[in-house]
Amino acid sequence: MTGPIRVAIADDHPLVRAGFRIPLDSAPDIEVVGEAGNGGEAVALARRTTPDVVLMDVQMPDVDGLTATGRILADPLLGGTKVVMLTAYADDASVLRALRAGASGFLLKDVDPAELLRSIRAVHGGEALLAPSVTRTVIDAFVAAHAGPGAPAAPPPAPEPRHVLIATLTAREREVVRLVGIGLSNEEIADRLVLSPATVKTYVSRIMTKLAVPGRAQLVVVAYESGVVVPGRG
């Protein structure tokens, strides 16, 4: 029998940490292993407790959440730890940087308790799912990074090795990447392509292996940066 999902909470506001901890403590399959008030404390906590999932605030004093996320995900002793970023604003431009750093996704701080529990279980299970609202934030951050106010989105940047690998995908795999990029779940993609959800899950896993991306969140980023999905067109 496997043990509970071990979760660490990092946020500089005690009341915010308490707000997250209450529903987590009520879940029989989740154990809160500790809390941290800044990124430096979060890294130390992660190294001390090796949590399965870290809920990491983006903005914190001393060491911010993005820096802490990079340190945690680069630590070979924390290879099984996933990081989910916490943000108060859906248009936080830090989201794209967090996903590039390897974060498994992000949650708004006003997330519903039931959705919080579902998200932690999904990330722990390796799904790293991005809801359509999350994908919308990724799109906004991408557009903001490549276009000035009121200007059309700029073309995708010059291909990097990972993006070049897009050319190795089959037509069906590229279509799956496109649908993941616009925020559809496996079930929605299955309905769109008349496939079973299990088949879609296999496609997504194979695509992530081919593109060497650690999770679905990073697959969304690659979809936009490679031009498979063009902001504003879907």
Side-chain angles (χ1 to χ4, degrees), residues 10-12 36-44 56-72 85:
D11 192 286
D12 58 321
N38 62 51
E41 292 178 5
V43 174
M56 181 80 73
D57 186 18
V58 173
Q59 301 291 340
M60 288 188 288
D62 299 324
V63 178
D64 63 43
L66 294 175
T67 301
T69 294
R71 292 176 184 175
I72 289 173
M85 306 303 297

Side-chain angles (χ1 to χ4, degrees), residues 2-28:
T2 59
I5 303 170
R6 296 163 52 78
V7 178
I9 305 170
D11 192 286
D12 58 321
H13 294 96
L15 288 179
V16 172
R17 297 199 302 271
F20 278 103
R21 182 155 194 160
I22 290 172
L24 297 183
D25 281 340
S26 70

Side-chain angles (χ1 to χ4, degrees), residues 6-7 21 23-25 31 48 62 82 113 125 136 140 144 154 156 163 167 171 178 180 182-184 188 198 212:
R6 296 163 52 78
V7 178
R21 182 155 194 160
L24 297 183
D25 281 340
E31 174 189 0
R48 186 170 67 251
D62 299 324
K82 308 289 181 60
R136 179 72 259 167
D140 292 342
H163 305 150
R178 187 184 72 81
V180 169
I182 64 175
L184 300 190
E188 291 169 329

Side-chain angles (χ1 to χ4, degrees), residues 32-113:
V32 177
V33 298
E35 301 179 14
N38 62 51
E41 292 178 5
V43 174
L45 175 64
R47 289 171 176 164
R48 186 170 67 251
T49 63
T50 59
D52 298 306
V53 178
V54 177
L55 299 178
M56 181 80 73
D57 186 18
V58 173
Q59 301 291 340
M60 288 188 288
D62 299 324
V63 178
D64 63 43
L66 294 175
T67 301
T69 294
R71 292 176 184 175
I72 289 173
L73 297 179
D75 191 326
L77 298 180
L78 296 174
T81 297
K82 308 289 181 60
V83 177
V84 176
M85 306 303 297
L86 303 173
T87 180
Y89 307 103
D91 62 349
D92 195 326
S94 299
V95 169
L96 192 61
R97 289 173 55 201
L99 297 181
R100 282 174 172 154
S104 293
F106 82 96
L107 293 171
L108 296 181
K109 289 188 179 181
D110 62 357
V111 62
D112 179 86

Side-chain angles (χ1 to χ4, degrees), residues 140 143-154:
D140 292 342
V143 173
H146 293 87

